Amino acid sequence: MDSKVMQAGLNELIETLKDGQKGYAEAMTDVEGADLKDLFKKYAAQRASYITELEDQMFKLDLKPDEESSITGTIHRAFINLKGLVTSKDRHAILAECERGEDYAKAAYEKAQKLKDIPADLKSVIEKQAAGIKQAHDEIRGLRDAAK
């Protein structure tokens, strides 16, 4: 595989994870309900650990993580509307926005899993993280559905 293609794909994943981490961290500080605060804290920490894992893999492969936040200029900011929703304290709306972010994260991992000729260690990390993202999505969706 072309290392530039792999690097771009991994940087897109990292950017998606950073968006999620930031979104959950912001939501955690403002949302009402200890259950959501704890959940958002857990997922913000999960995203931070996933970023570290991917960056470690990139360094092992002599690839550079982007220092800037502009991989393609069109990266979707999945959690962009979360701050406004948190201030309204609407549990269902907050969870729906989080699920939208999780949908985007799932799609990013599905795309990354289609990268060709990636080393086994990296493939294993991506698959493990994709499973964690799917679990987070399903948990958020379940809470959203229960909040109707």
Side-chain angles (χ1 to χ4, degrees), residues 87-106:
T87 59
S88 75
K89 310 287 191 223
D90 181 339
R91 184 179 178 94
H92 181 269
I94 292 165
L95 289 165
E97 188 68 13
C98 289
E99 186 195 5
R100 193 175 67 81
E102 292 298 341
D103 287 341
Y104 185 74
K106 273 180 37 181

Side-chain angles (χ1 to χ4, degrees), residues 3-19 50-51 54-59 62-73 75-77 104 108-109 111-112 115 122 126 129:
S3 65
K4 289 185 182 199
V5 172
M6 189 182 328
Q7 181 171 316
L10 294 172
N11 278 320
E12 186 173 338
L13 269 187
I14 289 170
E15 199 62 32
T16 300
L17 291 167
K18 286 178 180 178
D19 286 346
Y50 286 3
I51 291 165
L54 288 176
E55 287 176 342
D56 287 349
Q57 288 293 317
M58 289 181 80
F59 286 120
D62 201 29
L63 301 173
K64 290 191 168 205
D66 277 347
E67 298 297 323
E68 302 284 320
S69 294
S70 58
I71 296 170
T72 64
I75 294 293
H76 183 285
R77 297 292 177 225
Y104 185 74
Y109 272 90
K111 182 177 174 184
L115 292 172
L122 176 57
I126 291 171
Q129 290 183 0

